[in-house]
């Protein structure tokens, strides 16, 4: 089947998709967006977390067919999404622009300095990144938390992130990163 | 010439952090290749036996399926001397979950479906997977992990113990534990003639490269292993694991690139685990708590494929003054998955036992547990008689007690109450040895003023890339941003494994050496690098290859406060504090995360992580992250970490001790001791689950 959906603000098509294929597989193998990680493939670890129509989901548990006509945001799109949230015109991207768009997940840096989402910068500054494998999913989940709750309590953060396992950091610095991003958000407002 | 401020010791941000937060960092399964195919393992459903037939007709019906490889049809691998990677070589099944076939297909889903359709018939044989302390067949190994002797005796333990005024005799048990790094073991392999390229998830690609060369009987120069980003390992990627041999084997068989990422629920059986231990500790002391007799006897298991013996009794040889000492290991060779390294093998389960027993001794003597440890501080390392290169355990205990508010507590057990919650606190000591292994490095100065350093280090999340850049910049005397460090490729100058908390010392030393030499050459050239640049090679075969006249260990003290719910039996951690002494800390930002991460894994070991070998089917019942509970964000409280800077001239040019593992050592004992203080109940078997608490209250 053909699946048409929006990924990181751009319309995308995938052909010959098997009905049982996961959104995670479509993103990683068909769209060339390997930022979302496959660590358990059964919704236990959150490493593949993306936004599906704004809701954080484990993309390993979403069948490709379910995303038809819907919007997906991955870690690769966090910076763009944050910029849009920042108050710029949100006309979306034209189809021509979308067709010219290339994911650049490999090799060189995906975004230049200053082009990170606040939560991404906060993860770097707080030292919340270690091996990095859980990081993309945590960023998407944390970004969503801060979008709906600009000054979360520690309990709010712990609850919001408890679907995302991290084996390296012990979470303390991840909490610091979310607190830091929230504080910086306050400064801007 | 002005002197630049040193950057080692500074909280430099992780160099590859930007790539990791944008999704740009490429892990083993992230490399796109033309014509890529996918593999999925078929695993043994018996714990012991021989394969008599493999029916792949159903699996091959799907045209998307390219091959089903088995011992009968796979290209035969040479013997590389490591049973872990001797895949698809024999019809014999040594344990449940062993990989007996591999389906290769155009898509992951087709490979998975094909693997599910393969029918394997076995001549099943009775299996033996149950470890008990008194089972038949326990033997004394020649040596235990890390090359320690299985048994050590000093003085006359039996007589001294019998004569002791105060005694403790207790058995502590740790179940199997699983490393479960977030990145599954994965490899993407492609052949070009006799040249092999592998993108692999490992803790040391130098050995992966030489092992693949041996398995496929090709020249090492023709094997390229790329491991620039690795999503954790905790020991389970310390040597080549089956996935990389299988991916390369399959790529050879189908003539196309193959990716194999082990499914999470297959990882426990084929990549190693922490073996279960049953540890009897006996302490004999005088009324003032001075230990005269110490025995630590470990019973553990290994597989029929390899002998790996968790050296749980070893830290009891050097922790405390103990004139009469007996430390032993007995092992059963069972039809179980092969155990291997998991974060602080030996020290981690061993110190749970010893430090729990120390708490019991403190209770028996009516002494404060911090004071008891201070009273048993040895003047030299008890086992070898060598002086410690540095030992600041007492300082860690005192500083931790002060920061934690330890002395404000009511020492009586089961008196702290907050409604239905019992509140208690506990302490335990930590230790981890200093390891350093020979490594090689190259440093290059360009005429443009930039520097390049090459060493095959592996950054499994530790921050190796960052700290090596700091070491290089200081040795060169140049700003950080002029130095680029290349790591994570098998063709770089050989680096040792990212294991044994040895990485920074082992890789940093030749980096320091090469850069120091290069700086001199630049200086000799009048401070100007000629066209074509300057190039220096260094290795530490001499410096790191030999022994030392010192006993070298890092030490620490862990404090924990828990609440025990008298209604549900649930133990929750309210706070933890670790104070460590591990030489100079080279990057406080990455170091802090290492300590906290280790302590958190110790929290998991104490309360949430536990595995069980089912006697009937002979494999772990907790095989995925739904049943094997890695602590989640809401399980982990505020964890505070401090360190005491040590000036130890007997280590390496950076003066550092390893810090990747010590954080887990002692954490579980501190928590179990806190549970005792809260409830008055000794839990000697981990993990501490609500049912144990409820039955005991």
């Amino acid at each position: 089947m053909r699946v048409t959906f929006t990924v990181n603000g751009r319309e995308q098509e995938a052909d010959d998709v098997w009905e049982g294929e996961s959104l995670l597989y479509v993103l990683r193998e068909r769209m060339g967006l390997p930022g979302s990680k496959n660590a358990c493939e059964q919704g236990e670890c959150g490493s593949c977390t993306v936004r599906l129509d704004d809701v954080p989901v484990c993309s390993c548990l979403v069948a490709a067919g379910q995303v038809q006509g819907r919007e997906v945001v991955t870690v690769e799109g966090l910076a763009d999404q944050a910029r849009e949230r920042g108050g710029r015109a949100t006309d979306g991207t034209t189809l021509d622009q979308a067709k010219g768009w290339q994911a650049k997940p490999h090799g060189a840096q995906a975004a230049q300095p200053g082009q990170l989402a606040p939560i991404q910068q906060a993860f770097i500054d707080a030292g919340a990144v270690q091996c990095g494998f859980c990081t993309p999913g945590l960023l998407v989940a944390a970004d969503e938390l801060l979008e709906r709750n600009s000054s979360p309590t520690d309990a709010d953060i712990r609850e919001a992130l408890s679907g995302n396992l991290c084996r390296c950091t012990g979470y303390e610095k991840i909490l610091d990163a979310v607190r830091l991003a929230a504080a910086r958000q306050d400064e801007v407002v | 010439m002005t002197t630049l401020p040193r950057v080692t010791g500074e909280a430099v941000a992780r160099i590859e952090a930007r790539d990791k937060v944008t999704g740009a960092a490429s892990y083993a399964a992230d490399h796109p290749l033309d014509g890529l195919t996918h593999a999925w393992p078929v695993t043994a459903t018996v714990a012991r036996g021989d394969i008599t037939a493999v029916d792949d007709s159903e699996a091959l019906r799907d045209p998307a399926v390219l091959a089903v490889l088995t011992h009968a049809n796979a290209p035969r691998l040479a013997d590389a001397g490591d049973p872990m990677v001797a895949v698809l070589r024999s019809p014999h099944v040594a344990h449940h979950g062993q990989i007996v076939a591999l389906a290769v297909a155009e898509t992951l889903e087709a490979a998975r479906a094909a693997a599910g359709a393969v029918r394997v018939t076995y001549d099943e044989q009775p299996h033996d997977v149950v470890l008990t302390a008194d089972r038949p067949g326990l033997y004394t190994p020649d040596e235990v992990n890390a090359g320690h002797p299985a048994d050590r005796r000093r003085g006359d333990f039996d007589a001294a113990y019998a004569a002791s005024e105060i005694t403790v005799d207790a058995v502590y048990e740790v179940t199997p534990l699983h490393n479960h790094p977030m990145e599954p073991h994965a490899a993407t392999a492609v052949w070009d003639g006799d040249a092999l390229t592998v993108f692999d998830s490992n803790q040391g690609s130098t050995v992966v490269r030489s092992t693949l060369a041996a398995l496929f009987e090709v020249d090492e120069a023709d094997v390229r292993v790329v491991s620039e980003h690795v999503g954790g390992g905790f020991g389970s990627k310390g040597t080549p694991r089956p996935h990389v041999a299988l991916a390369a084997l399959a790529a050879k068989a189908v003539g196309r690139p193959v990716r194999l990422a082990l499914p999470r629920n297959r990882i426990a059986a084929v990549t190693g685990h922490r073996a279960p231990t049953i540890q009897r500790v006996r302490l004999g002391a005088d009324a003032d708590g001075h230990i005269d007799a110490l025995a630590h006897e470990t019973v553990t298991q290994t597989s029929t494929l390899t002998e790996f013996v968790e050296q749980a009794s070893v830290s009891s040889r050097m922790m405390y003054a103990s004139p009469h000492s007996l430390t032993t290991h007995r092992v059963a060779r069972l039809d179980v998955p092969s155990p291997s390294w998991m974060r602080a093998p030996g020290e981690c389960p061993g110190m749970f036992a010893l430090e729990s027993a120390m708490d019991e001794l403190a209770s028996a003597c009516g002494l404060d547990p911090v004071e008891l440890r201070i009273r048993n501080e040895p003047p030299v390392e008890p086992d070898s008689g060598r002086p410690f290169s540095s030992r600041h355990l007492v300082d860690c205990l005192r500083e931790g007690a002060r920061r934690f508010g330890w002395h404000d507590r009511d020492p009586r057990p089961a008196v702290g109450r907050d409604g239905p919650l019992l509140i208690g606190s506990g302490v335990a000591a930590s230790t981890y040895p200093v390891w350093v292994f020979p490594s090689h490095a190259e440093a290059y100065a360009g005429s443009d003023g930039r520097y390049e350093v090459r060493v095959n280090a592996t950054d499994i999340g530790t921050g190796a890339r960052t700290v090596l850049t700091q070491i290089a910049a200081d040795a060169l005397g140049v700003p950080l941003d002029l130095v680029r460090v290349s790591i994570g490729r098998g063709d770089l100058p050989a680096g040792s494994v990212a294991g044994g908390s040895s990485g920074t010392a082992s890789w940093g030393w030749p980096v320091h050496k090469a850069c120091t030499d290069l700086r001199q050459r630049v200086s000799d050239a009048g401070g100007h690098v000629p066209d074509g640049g300057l190039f220096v090679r260094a290795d530490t075969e001499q410096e790191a290859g030999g022994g030392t006249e010192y006993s070298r260990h890092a030490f620490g003290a862990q404090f924990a406060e828990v609440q025990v719910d008298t209604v549900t039996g649930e133990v929750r951690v309210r706070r933890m504090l670790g104070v460590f002494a591990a030489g100079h800390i080279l990057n406080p930002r990455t170091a802090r995360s290492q300590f906290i991460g280790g302590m958190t894994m110790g929290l998991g070991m104490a309360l949430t992580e536990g595995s069980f070998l089912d006697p009937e089917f002979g494999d772990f019942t907790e095989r995925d992250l739904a049943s094997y509970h890695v602590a989640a964000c809401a399980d982990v409280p505020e964890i505070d970490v401090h360190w005491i800077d040590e000036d130890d001239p007997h280590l390496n040019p950076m003066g550092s001790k390893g810090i990747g593992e010590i954080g887990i050592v002692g954490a579980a004992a501190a928590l179990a001791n806190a549970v005792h203080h809260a409830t008055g109940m000794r839990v000697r078997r981990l993990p501490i689950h609500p049912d144990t608490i409820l039955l005991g209250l």
Side-chain angles (χ1 to χ4, degrees):
Chain A
M1 67 178 177
R2 167 178 290 187
V3 181
T4 306
F5 63 119
T6 303
V7 184
N8 298 333
R10 281 101 168 173
E11 192 166 279
Q12 296 285 334
E13 271 178 14
D15 281 322
D16 300 322
V17 174
W18 175 59
E19 289 78 354
E21 219 167 276
S22 69
L23 170 59
L24 177 61
Y25 184 85
V26 172
L27 292 169
R28 287 179 54 82
E29 305 297 336
R30 296 179 182 274
M31 305 278 147
L33 295 169
S36 309
K37 301 303 181 201
N38 183 357
C40 78
E41 233 189 354
Q42 44 190 38
E44 293 145 8
C45 76
S47 303
C48 65
T49 303
V50 302
R51 303 272 298 266
L52 177 60
D53 284 352
D54 285 340
V55 179
V57 296
C58 289
S59 59
C60 71
L61 295 183
V62 176
Q66 289 178 282
V67 302
Q68 175 64 37
R70 301 172 75 178
E71 287 189 23
V72 172
V73 176
T74 72
V75 68
E76 289 96 340
L78 280 184
D80 281 349
Q81 197 193 38
R83 262 196 304 281
E84 286 195 9
R85 256 198 318 249
R88 293 227 200 122
T90 51
D91 301 338
T93 309
T94 67
L95 195 59
D96 282 346
Q97 286 172 316
K99 282 178 180 161
W101 177 80
Q102 294 279 321
K104 288 177 189 151
H106 296 294
Q109 317 210 319
Q112 294 306 308
Q115 291 187 316
L116 295 177
I119 191 66
Q120 291 171 313
Q121 190 61 51
F123 264 58
I124 297 176
D125 295 343
V129 180
Q130 278 195 235
C131 87
F133 212 73
C134 70
T135 305
L138 270 161
L139 285 166
V140 172
D143 188 60
E144 192 271 344
L145 166 69
L146 291 176
E147 193 179 284
R148 66 182 153 80
N149 181 355
S150 60
S151 44
T153 63
D154 282 1
D156 292 337
I157 301 171
R158 289 192 193 279
E159 185 181 336
L161 302 186
S162 270
N164 294 75
L165 296 180
C166 169
R167 196 64 162 149
C168 294
T169 65
Y171 304 103
E172 192 61 34
K173 296 292 130 189
I174 292 169
L175 251 80
D176 279 352
V178 179
R179 293 176 189 129
L180 181 63
R184 286 175 177 169
Q185 202 165 271
D186 279 352
E187 284 169 19
V188 175
V189 176
Chain B
M1 190 177 158
T2 55
T3 309
L4 286 166
R6 293 174 61 80
V7 287
T8 46
E10 294 299 314
V12 173
R14 185 177 296 267
I15 284 172
E16 78 284 1
R18 172 174 285 268
D19 283 348
K20 286 178 173 173
V21 299
T22 54
S26 284
Y27 298 77
D30 293 347
H31 295 265
L33 292 171
D34 288 338
L36 181 69
T37 66
H38 300 264
W40 195 274
V42 179
T43 54
T45 55
V46 301
R48 183 187 175 94
D50 289 287
I51 299 167
T52 53
V54 179
D55 177 2
D56 58 8
S57 54
E58 182 66 27
L60 290 171
R61 202 161 289 168
D62 180 351
V65 177
L66 302 169
V68 173
L69 300 173
T70 69
H71 69 279
N73 66 357
R76 191 167 170 77
L77 292 174
D79 183 3
D82 180 357
M84 198 77 121
V85 290
V87 293
L88 304 184
R89 272 170 54 98
S90 152
H92 183 64
V93 173
H95 63 85
H96 191 282
Q98 178 181 322
I99 295 173
V100 294
L102 189 74
V104 188
E106 299 282 355
T107 68
L108 188 67
E109 300 305 340
R112 186 201 313 243
V118 174
R119 294 285 166 262
V120 183
T121 312
Y122 303 91
D123 171 18
E124 190 175 355
Q125 294 148 18
H127 61 260
D128 181 1
V129 300
V130 179
L131 180 71
T132 57
D134 55 356
R135 54 159 295 135
L138 291 173
Y139 69 96
T140 307
D142 290 340
E143 61 175 35
V144 296
N145 181 49
H148 296 283
D151 293 0
R152 292 286 288 169
R153 288 180 174 80
R154 256 185 296 115
D156 183 346
F157 170 80
D158 288 333
Y161 183 75
S164 292
E165 231 172 312
I166 310 274
T167 57
V168 167
D169 180 353
V171 175
Y172 303 91
E173 289 182 61
V174 181
T175 70
L177 295 169
H178 302 305
N179 312 60
H180 280 316
M182 290 315 297
E183 182 195 22
H185 297 66
T188 307
V190 58
W191 288 88
D192 179 6
D194 277 342
L196 171 65
T197 297
V198 175
F199 302 94
D200 181 45
S201 178
N202 62 59
Q203 291 175 227
S205 53
T206 297
V207 178
V208 172
R209 183 188 195 214
S210 59
T211 302
L212 288 171
L215 286 173
F216 292 94
E217 298 175 283
V218 294
D219 194 353
E220 260 189 52
D222 286 333
V223 181
R224 192 172 150 244
V225 182
V226 181
S227 311
E228 288 203 35
H229 298 290
V230 177
F234 312 109
S236 72
K237 299 172 182 173
T239 54
R241 302 289 144 128
H243 66 281
V244 68
L246 286 163
L249 185 69
K252 196 171 185 66
V254 302
R256 287 173 57 181
V258 172
R259 176 179 300 159
L260 172 61
L262 290 180
R264 179 63 64 182
N265 63 9
R266 304 299 210 282
I267 285 177
V270 298
T271 67
H273 64 279
R274 192 194 299 289
T277 47
I278 303 168
Q279 304 172 54
R280 182 182 185 195
V281 179
R282 284 176 288 167
L283 301 174
D286 66 19
D288 293 330
H290 298 108
I291 297 171
D292 193 38
L294 190 166
H296 191 155
E297 297 158 287
T298 295
V299 174
T300 184
Q301 71 190 33
T302 189
S303 74
T304 61
L305 292 174
T306 61
E307 184 186 80
F308 177 92
V309 185
E310 182 92 19
Q311 74 277 27
S313 301
V314 162
S315 39
S316 284
R317 293 173 184 166
M318 47 62 65
M319 271 309 286
Y320 299 112
S322 45
H324 303 278
S325 168
L326 170 70
T327 49
T328 67
H329 298 83
R330 298 293 175 267
V331 59
R333 196 180 278 281
L334 302 180
D335 302 311
V336 296
S338 297
S340 176
W341 299 325
M342 177 167 166
R343 203 173 204 166
E347 285 79 16
C348 173
M351 287 291 278
F352 163 64
L354 177 63
E355 291 302 294
S356 295
M358 287 297 281
D359 205 63
E360 301 205 32
L361 180 62
S363 295
C365 296
L367 264 180
D368 176 69
V370 169
E371 176 58 25
L372 174 73
R373 289 171 172 87
I374 292 171
R375 285 187 189 182
N376 286 288
E377 182 72 358
V380 294
E381 195 240 276
D383 191 48
S384 68
R386 290 178 301 174
F388 286 103
S389 68
S390 56
R391 173 169 166 133
H392 290 95
L393 173 59
V394 170
D395 306 73
C396 291
L397 285 162
R398 290 200 169 122
E399 176 67 6
R402 186 185 70 76
R403 288 178 177 273
F404 192 78
W406 176 259
H407 295 299
D408 302 337
R409 72 171 198 160
D410 184 334
R412 293 170 301 162
V415 294
R417 233 183 205 281
D418 179 3
L421 303 176
L422 298 173
I423 317 291
S425 51
V427 63
S430 306
T431 188
Y432 194 79
V434 170
W435 292 104
V436 59
F437 303 110
S439 289
H440 297 235
E442 295 168 358
Y444 171 81
S447 54
D448 59 355
R450 295 189 166 274
Y451 295 83
E452 216 172 310
V453 176
R454 292 152 50 88
V455 56
N456 193 19
T458 312
D459 195 330
I460 55 175
T462 53
R465 192 181 268 104
T466 310
V467 78
L468 291 174
T469 309
Q470 292 173 265
I471 292 167
D474 275 354
L476 290 163
V478 303
L480 208 57
D481 56 5
L482 292 182
V483 182
R484 182 190 153 85
V485 175
S486 293
I487 63 166
R489 292 204 325 267
D491 56 343
L492 293 170
S496 57
V497 65
S501 298
S502 69
T504 301
S506 301
W507 312 317
W509 198 336
V511 165
H512 186 276
K513 197 174 168 184
C515 290
T516 304
D517 189 5
L518 184 61
R519 183 184 192 172
Q520 186 60 48
R521 294 208 197 176
V522 173
S523 172
D524 292 348
H528 296 286
V529 177
D531 288 347
L534 289 168
F535 176 81
V536 166
R537 256 195 202 107
D539 69 64
T540 53
E541 297 289 346
Q542 291 298 319
E543 297 91 326
T548 160
E549 61 203 280
Y550 292 96
S551 178
R552 302 186 298 188
H553 302 261
F555 291 91
Q558 305 229 16
F559 294 80
E561 182 179 288
V562 301
Q563 64 185 45
V564 180
D565 192 315
T566 53
V567 179
T568 65
E570 184 187 24
V571 178
R572 289 195 71 79
V573 186
R574 293 160 72 106
R575 58 192 178 111
M576 290 175 83
L577 164 70
V579 178
F580 300 95
H584 293 311
I585 297 300
L586 305 184
N587 184 326
R589 186 190 313 238
T590 48
R592 188 177 301 277
S593 257
Q594 287 280 49
F595 288 130
I596 294 177
M599 291 168 73
T600 303
M601 208 179 270
L603 182 160
M605 170 187 177
L607 300 178
T608 66
E609 296 179 38
S611 189
F612 173 71
L613 267 163
D614 183 281
E616 287 303 315
F617 79 101
D619 200 351
F620 301 112
T621 49
E622 292 87 352
R623 282 183 296 168
D624 57 24
L625 297 171
S627 49
Y628 187 85
H629 290 163
V630 169
C633 197
D635 296 321
V636 184
E638 187 188 317
I639 296 182
D640 197 8
V641 165
H642 294 273
W643 48 81
I644 290 166
D645 188 62
E646 282 181 326
D647 207 0
D648 184 337
H650 310 296
L651 299 170
N652 57 57
M654 296 79 67
S656 61
K657 296 176 179 175
I659 56 169
E661 292 166 90
I662 191 169
I664 197 174
V665 180
L671 289 161
N673 295 340
V675 168
H676 172 260
H677 183 232
T679 63
M681 212 173 119
R682 286 285 172 198
V683 185
R684 300 188 180 93
R685 184 175 200 278
L686 300 182
I688 304 172
H689 276 175
D691 53 348
T692 311
I693 296 289
L694 283 179
L695 285 172
L697 280 178

